Amino acid sequence: MEFTEMEKRMLYQTEGSERYAVLQEMSMASRYAGDPARRKAAKSLLEKLRPLTDAECMEAVHEDKTH
């Protein structure tokens, strides 16, 4: 899955250890982030991560943190 640089930064900074927590974090960022680019990136990440299974979502998060 391809991510923009902003999306990669957001994934790297996520604190969630399960899919639900990551999606919740992105949902909150898409609503309340002060930076419009960050809100847009969070919304885009939600669209990309929602259809994934728990394992696929966490793989995407962990893969980004190791690169």
Side-chain angles (χ1 to χ4, degrees), residues 2-56:
E2 295 294 319
F3 298 108
T4 66
E5 286 303 313
M6 176 70 79
E7 291 170 343
K8 288 178 184 179
R9 276 185 290 219
M10 291 182 78
L11 279 177
Y12 185 79
Q13 295 171 355
T14 56
E15 296 180 17
S17 60
E18 58 186 30
R19 180 178 171 269
Y20 173 80
V22 171
L23 293 178
Q24 185 66 22
E25 194 172 332
M26 291 306 115
S27 178
M28 297 304 282
S30 71
R31 294 180 195 160
Y32 302 113
D35 179 13
R38 189 168 176 81
R39 283 195 308 266
K40 183 178 177 183
K43 186 176 180 181
S44 175
L45 271 172
L46 275 172
E47 292 172 5
K48 291 177 181 178
L49 297 176
R50 271 193 186 128
L52 301 179
T53 66
D54 291 344
E56 291 169 336

